[in-house]
Amino acid sequence: MTTPRFALNHMAAPRRDLAGFVALACELGIDAVEIRNDLDDTAIADGTPPGVVRATAEVAGLTILSINALQRFNDWTPARAAEAAALADYAAACGARGIVLVPVCDGTPKNQEKLERALSALKPILLQRNLTGLVEPLGFAFSSLRSKADAAAAIAAVGGEGVFRLVHDTFHHYLAGESQLFPELTGLVHISGVADDAVSVADMRDGHRELVAADDRLDNVGQIAALVAGGYAGALSFEPFAPGVHDLADPAAALRESMAFIGDRLNG
């Protein structure tokens, strides 16, 4: 029997402040969360000190899996280096285990040399603070890093297997059309579903990403089952971006239903 270990990305309930988000995780019996640096009026964008974030999580018995995210990480500049160091300092101080690394996604073409250069520069920053760099390929056609194979090759090229892990995002995996899964290199799984049967794959965007249910077009359950069969035993973190999810009056009920659906299908 497979018992999924669910986690909660703050994007699942962005209208809630840190305390409300933590309360939601506890209500669901979830013991691991991801916080974000791109949500206005809540931690960490509102200036909440890292010690407050750490204390809030510790009192609730929660593990902070990541801060999401260092954007444009593969466009390495002095400014990006300073941003990375500051975010890593915050992550270490708040008790987060890692930082999600998001590539440039504006039509810039793939550049493996720039990717390796960025990972090489990030490696000591992360090592000094005992953090994991969670590399998240984005499957959009305009992403500079679509493929987990490219990310895995770059990690190997810089000797970064002990520092970097892959994020398998079920939405982006589907968009990229990639067959390889890399469960042994996966450090985190982001889950969300797309139900809209009118949108083409090429036109799928974050706003289409809902909770996983029976009408999911992305085969989340199949992707998760394959990762588990390959040895992945980490967290499945809910990361929906759809406004309809964000506006739910009772997100706990909807999340609980999705958790039950995934669990039942994995063991069906």
Side-chain angles (χ1 to χ4, degrees):
M1 179 176 179
T2 299
T3 302
R5 183 196 176 199
F6 292 107
L8 207 60
N9 188 296
H10 204 156
M11 192 54 73
R15 309 275 192 268
R16 295 194 174 206
D17 62 10
L18 177 65
F21 172 61
V22 165
L24 175 62
C26 292
E27 182 180 353
L28 292 167
I30 284 174
D31 65 358
V33 296
E34 295 181 87
I35 61 174
R36 303 186 68 96
N37 60 348
D38 60 355
L39 297 178
D40 295 336
D41 303 320
T42 189
I44 59 177
D46 65 356
T48 299
V52 173
V53 175
R54 178 189 283 269
T56 302
E58 287 180 348
V59 167
L62 297 179
T63 297
I64 301 175
L65 297 175
S66 82
I67 294 178
N68 193 329
L70 178 66
Q71 300 286 343
R72 300 179 65 89
F73 85 91
N74 56 336
D75 178 22
W76 198 256
T77 63
R80 191 80 61 244
E83 181 185 1
L87 189 58
D89 283 341
Y90 193 103
C94 79
R97 292 186 174 180
I99 297 173
V100 174
L101 306 174
V102 174
V104 175
C105 199
D106 61 4
T108 298
K110 179 178 78 169
N111 187 314
Q112 200 73 1
E113 182 181 348
K114 289 183 69 174
L115 174 59
E116 292 175 14
R117 187 184 313 135
L119 294 179
S120 292
L122 276 162
K123 187 176 173 182
I125 293 173
L126 297 167
L127 275 171
Q128 289 163 12
R129 297 161 179 84
N130 196 30
L131 297 170
T132 298
L134 296 160
V135 182
E136 182 170 23
L138 302 182
F140 298 124
F142 44 88
S143 170
S144 63
L145 176 60
R146 301 186 71 199
S147 162
K148 289 188 293 295
D150 287 340
I155 290 170
V158 303
E161 291 88 345
V163 182
F164 299 103
R165 309 290 286 173
L166 297 177
V167 176
H168 178 108
D169 184 296
T170 56
F171 173 79
H172 287 295
H173 178 78
Y174 185 86
L175 263 59
E178 188 171 20
S179 59
Q180 289 181 278
L181 292 174
F182 300 96
E184 72 288 347
L185 193 57
T186 299
L188 181 64
V189 174
H190 284 160
I191 58 175
S192 60
V194 173
D196 185 350
D197 58 8
V199 63
S200 69
V201 175
D203 289 333
M204 288 181 182
R205 297 293 183 266
D206 280 337
H208 296 106
R209 299 173 62 176
E210 304 176 0
L211 296 176
V212 181
D215 53 3
D216 173 39
R217 293 175 56 187
L218 310 183
D219 189 25
N220 269 263
V221 172
Q223 290 189 46
I224 294 166
L227 285 164
V228 170
Y232 179 73
L236 309 173
S237 185
F238 283 101
E239 193 190 32
F241 284 79
V245 176
H246 295 172
D247 293 339
L248 286 171
D250 184 10
L255 283 158
R256 192 174 288 113
E257 184 175 345
S258 187
M259 292 164 64
F261 169 77
I262 293 169
D264 289 346
R265 288 298 177 92
L266 285 176
N267 291 294

